[in-house]
């Protein structure tokens, strides 16, 4: 079976208007484009076409999410607000969640892309899948959009998978550089979804993503935040996978894994301060595939989230897809020399954070008692 690849041209037509990084233009902020720029993901497609890997994947067209799908997480009032903005003037659906003309239908198709990926994997149409979803989703909460996210693609896809396929153990890993606050809230009281967020400490959103936030009631222990220090590179991330994520998976034994794949922990991202390289993303993908093979018959879905370096995101994403598919192209990371000046070690302050998370989680997970 091949790797499924899901996108739609309309994803690149979601219009966030003018802005500067993550702020609206105006005053002393000269008109520019928001960091969440369609060019970033279009260039992913372009690179994949240029190097020839696209024709070796199984292209799957996404279906639009239904209203019933969206209501698995979002409130009716919020959905109606997004549709009204989309049908009229556009605007902000919450906190920096820009809705353009026609964005409602595109957001439905983005969420539908995540659902389509789940169906393709669960029905063994493909072995694994990558959905180039846009707009992203992991910040969106039930009643508001946040941080460029309108509908929470991954949270809805997980709820859909549980409902349609009767799953009771879904693992969501969010490695976007920003905390997956929306997905966390979707499952904070829910033991049927193990949510793990690796993110840069105190980047975005404010007051979010603390290691002590472990879930509530029956969901206590099923929410895992790993707030890494700025500057953490490949070595620190890979230690997290080996010391925390793999042991958690061994205890939880997921039936399906969904990855919120934001490529903004990359060394060249303007909205993050981490140092992961394209090779690092490939190695993280490899480790997740090993977990999927061990526990859920290789059933793993990747959904694109953030990633704001137009130059580097395509190479990071290509490494992920090469790893998923087992297809090696002749593309060499052209920016790797710029990373060579930064030693890539597991530093003591990074190890301390990892140990803190292990100590907190050891109350709930018997396999996490040995510190790094």
């Amino acid at each position: 079976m091949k790797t499924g690849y899901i996108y739609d041209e309309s994803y690149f037509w979601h219009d966030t208007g003018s802005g500067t990084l993550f702020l609206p233009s105006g005053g002393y902020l000269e008109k520019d484009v928001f960091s969440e720029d369609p060019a970033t993901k279009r260039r992913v497609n372009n690179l994949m076409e240029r190097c020839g890997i696209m024709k070796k994947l199984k292209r799957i067209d996404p279906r639009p999410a239904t209203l019933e799908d969206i209501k698995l997480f979002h409130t009716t009032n919020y959905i109606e607000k997004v549709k009204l903005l989309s049908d009229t003037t556009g605007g902000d659906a919450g906190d920096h969640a820009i809705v353009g003309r026609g964005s409602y239908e595109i957001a439905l198709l983005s969420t539908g892309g995540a659902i389509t990926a789940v169906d393709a994997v669960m029905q063994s149409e493909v072995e694994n899948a990558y959905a180039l979803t846009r707009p992203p989703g992991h910040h969106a909460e039930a009643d508001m959009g946040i941080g460029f996210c309108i509908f929470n693609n991954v949270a809805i896809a997980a709820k859909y998978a549980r409902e349609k396929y009767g799953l009771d153990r879904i693992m969501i890993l969010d490695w976007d550089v920003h905390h997956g606050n929306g997905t966390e809230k979707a499952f904070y009281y829910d033991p049927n979804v193990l949510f793990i967020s690796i993110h840069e400490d105190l980047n975005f959103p404010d007051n979010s993503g603390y290691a002590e936030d472990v879930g509530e009631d029956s969901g206590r222990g099923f929410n895992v935040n790993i707030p890494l220090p700025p500057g953490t590179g490949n070595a620190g991330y890979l230690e997290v996978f080996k010391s925390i994520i793999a042991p958690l998976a061994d205890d939880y034994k997921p039936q399906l894994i969904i990855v919120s794949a934001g490529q903004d922990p990359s060394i060249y991202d303007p909205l993050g301060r981490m140092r992961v390289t394209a090779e690092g993303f490939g190695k993280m993908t490899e480790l997740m595939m090993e977990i999927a093979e061990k526990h859920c018959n290789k059933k793993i879905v990747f959904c694109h989230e953030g990633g704001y370096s137009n130059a580097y995101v395509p190479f990071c994403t290509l490494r992920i897809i090469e790893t998923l598919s087992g297809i090696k192209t002749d593309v060499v990371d052209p920016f790797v020399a710029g990373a060579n000046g930064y030693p890539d070690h597991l530093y003591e302050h990074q190890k301390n954070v990892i140990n803190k998370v292990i100590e907190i989680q050891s109350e709930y997970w018997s396999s996490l008692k040995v510190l790094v």
Side-chain angles (χ1 to χ4, degrees):
M1 290 188 293
K2 293 185 177 180
T3 291
Y5 184 66
I6 297 154
Y7 80 96
D8 189 89
E9 172 66 22
S10 67
Y11 291 171
F12 313 130
W13 290 61
H14 165 55
D15 184 8
T16 54
S18 65
T20 306
L21 285 179
F22 52 87
L23 295 175
S25 304
Y28 288 115
L29 291 177
E30 186 175 353
K31 183 177 180 180
D32 198 357
V33 294
F34 279 113
S35 297
E36 209 290 294
D37 179 12
T40 310
K41 293 178 184 178
R42 189 183 290 280
R43 288 165 67 114
V44 171
N45 268 9
N46 293 346
L47 179 60
M48 287 174 41
E49 290 280 10
R50 177 72 177 85
C51 73
I53 197 172
M54 183 78 87
K55 66 183 71 172
K56 299 177 183 179
L57 306 175
K58 184 174 178 61
R59 274 279 293 113
I60 304 173
D61 293 328
R63 70 149 171 98
T66 65
L67 189 58
E68 290 71 26
D69 293 330
I70 301 300
K71 285 183 176 180
L72 288 171
F73 180 50
H74 294 289
T75 65
T76 299
N77 285 344
Y78 174 63
I79 297 167
E80 290 175 348
K81 177 181 181 178
V82 173
K83 189 172 190 318
L84 180 62
L85 288 171
S86 174
D87 288 345
T88 55
T89 59
D92 195 337
D95 178 7
H96 298 88
I98 307 303
V99 177
R101 293 289 302 275
S103 288
Y104 175 76
E105 288 76 16
I106 299 172
L108 291 180
L109 201 58
S110 184
T111 301
I115 291 172
T116 300
V118 165
D119 278 338
V121 167
M122 291 302 299
Q123 296 172 16
S124 298
E125 181 182 353
V126 294
E127 189 169 274
N128 52 54
Y130 194 98
L132 193 71
T133 41
R134 182 175 185 268
H138 72 143
H139 292 312
E141 299 185 358
D143 58 355
M144 68 182 297
I146 299 176
F148 302 129
C149 299
I150 297 176
F151 298 139
N152 196 314
N153 305 320
V154 163
I156 293 168
K159 288 176 178 287
Y160 168 88
R162 185 168 59 188
E163 187 173 277
K164 179 165 183 178
Y165 299 103
L167 305 180
D168 52 23
R169 294 188 312 279
I170 298 173
M171 176 179 175
I172 299 175
L173 171 67
D174 187 331
W175 72 38
D176 189 283
V177 80
H178 307 111
H179 176 235
N181 60 291
T183 313
E184 176 181 271
K185 288 192 174 182
F187 303 108
Y188 204 64
Y189 298 85
D190 189 346
N192 298 123
V193 173
L194 171 62
F195 177 64
I196 306 171
S197 179
I198 316 171
H199 48 271
E200 182 184 336
D201 190 23
L202 299 179
N203 182 318
F204 182 86
D206 293 338
N207 299 314
S208 179
Y210 298 105
E212 293 80 5
D213 296 337
V214 297
E216 292 290 344
D217 298 337
S218 59
R220 191 167 182 82
F222 294 89
N223 191 83
V224 183
N225 285 317
I226 307 168
L228 294 176
T232 301
N234 294 349
Y237 271 79
L238 295 177
E239 185 60 43
V240 165
F241 279 76
K242 294 171 185 175
S243 297
I244 299 178
I245 296 172
L248 281 170
D250 286 344
D251 274 346
Y252 193 68
K253 296 178 174 57
Q255 298 159 307
L256 171 68
I257 297 172
I258 305 176
V259 178
S260 274
Q263 273 64 276
D264 41 10
S266 87
I267 189 168
Y268 298 113
D269 201 272
L271 297 188
R273 296 295 178 268
M274 307 309 251
R275 296 190 295 106
V276 179
T277 65
E279 184 66 20
F281 284 106
K283 289 185 179 299
M284 293 193 297
T285 302
E286 183 179 334
L287 292 173
M288 289 309 298
M289 291 178 70
E290 290 175 3
I291 291 171
E293 182 171 11
K294 183 176 182 180
H295 294 294
C296 51
N297 197 26
K298 302 183 180 181
K299 290 180 170 58
I300 188 167
V301 167
F302 282 66
C303 295
H304 203 105
E305 296 283 1
Y308 306 103
S309 169
N310 283 353
Y312 201 46
V313 165
F315 295 95
C316 297
T317 307
L318 176 63
R319 282 292 176 265
I320 294 169
I321 293 172
E322 283 181 327
T323 307
L324 283 173
S325 65
I327 301 168
K328 182 65 176 174
T329 71
D330 64 354
V331 177
V332 176
D333 181 356
F335 298 100
V336 70
N340 289 340
Y342 299 90
D344 190 29
H345 304 296
L346 177 63
Y347 293 94
E348 193 65 28
H349 67 293
Q350 298 165 0
K351 189 185 301 184
N352 291 340
V353 171
I354 295 171
N355 283 342
K356 177 182 177 181
V357 174
I358 292 173
E359 288 177 5
I360 290 170
Q361 288 299 321
S362 65
E363 179 180 346
Y364 313 101
W365 304 96
S366 60
S367 65
L368 292 182
K369 292 182 178 177
V370 179
L371 302 186
V372 175

